[in-house]
Amino acid sequence: MAEKVKNSAVFFNPLSKDNPVIVQVLGICSALAVTAKLEPAIVMGISVIAVLAFASVIISLIRKTIPVNVRIIVQLVVVAALVVIVNQLLEAYAYDVSRQLSVFVGLIITNCILMGRLEAFAMQNRPWPSFLDGVGNGLGYATILVIVAFFRELLGSGTLLGVQVIPQALYDAGYQNNGLMILPPMALVVVACIIWVHRARNKELQEK
């Protein structure tokens, strides 16, 4: 029972109280780059979940055989191999989204969330908890990306997933899309608002 509770905490904590983006403030760069539209944000989130989950399992399986002085290099090689696979799959089955994400899929290799979880958790724990930790942190990251992209695309372009959702009647009445929302700095503003709401709801996270 204690192990189940621990595994549950490992999976669910990154979704809220230990979210890697809004609590640990990691992975902000991609939040700026890929959240102008909802579709690339979703694909980026799924890619990070897959890479982090499988990398965590692989590192956990071989952790006892990795020399301490080259552990970071080994982690980078594992992540890089998985990122190449993800990138090839995107180019094969979602080419348009792959073009939108551009170099940012490759930059998953240097995402501090991945390297942090591999070093701090996967190197110390068994494969199943490491897998849960990877999926949990990936979902936490993806959730923030999707929320940011939702508001940026809706307010900046009037669409969601490329489909117009703001009625044409509003435009005819004088409504205009907020062009500022599709600029990278607005991602920081939206993330800051999410952090504010999150910390207001979780008093224990507020600085004393």
Side-chain angles (χ1 to χ4, degrees):
M1 179 63 70
E3 185 175 352
K4 288 184 178 180
V5 172
K6 181 180 177 182
N7 287 342
S8 177
V10 165
F11 180 80
F12 287 108
N13 281 353
L15 300 179
S16 179
K17 293 187 178 181
D18 201 22
N19 188 281
V21 179
I22 60 176
V23 177
Q24 302 175 39
V25 196
L26 301 174
I28 294 295
C29 296
S30 52
L32 300 178
V34 302
T35 56
K37 300 289 184 181
L38 193 53
E39 185 178 20
I42 292 172
V43 174
M44 184 68 169
I46 294 173
S47 299
V48 170
I49 292 171
V51 172
L52 183 51
F54 286 107
S56 295
V57 171
I58 293 170
I59 293 299
S60 177
L61 287 171
I62 64 175
R63 70 187 188 280
K64 294 182 180 179
T65 65
I66 302 175
V68 175
N69 56 338
V70 296
R71 68 188 189 283
I72 301 299
I73 297 175
V74 173
Q75 293 168 18
L76 282 172
V77 169
V78 170
V79 172
L82 291 170
V83 167
V84 169
I85 294 172
V86 167
N87 191 45
Q88 292 299 306
L89 289 173
L90 287 177
E91 289 186 354
Y93 297 104
Y95 183 73
D96 291 340
V97 178
S98 176
R99 292 295 299 273
Q100 291 181 57
L101 291 174
S102 184
V103 299
F104 294 102
V105 173
L107 289 177
I108 293 175
I109 298 170
T110 59
N111 191 313
C112 42
I113 297 174
L114 275 84
M115 300 311 299
R117 297 321 299 167
L118 295 181
E119 178 69 13
F121 198 91
M123 286 291 292
Q124 316 296 329
N125 293 274
R126 292 177 297 171
W128 178 242
S130 297
F131 176 78
L132 293 177
D133 180 78
V135 174
N137 277 275
L139 281 172
Y141 167 86
T143 299
I144 301 304
L145 255 64
V146 169
I147 292 173
V148 173
F150 174 88
F151 287 106
R152 290 185 69 195
E153 182 176 357
L154 178 64
L155 300 178
S157 302
T159 63
L160 288 176
L161 294 174
V163 178
Q164 183 174 329
V165 294
I166 295 181
Q168 184 61 41
L170 285 180
Y171 291 106
D172 296 339
Y175 176 82
Q176 293 185 353
N177 294 324
N178 186 346
L180 289 175
M181 291 300 294
I182 61 176
L183 298 178
M186 289 308 297
L188 280 179
V189 175
V190 178
V191 170
C193 291
I194 296 172
I195 292 174
W196 173 54
V197 172
H198 184 259
R199 296 203 174 190
R201 293 171 59 89
N202 296 275
K203 303 294 185 182
E204 68 276 11
L205 296 177
Q206 298 179 11
E207 296 181 1
K208 303 297 183 181

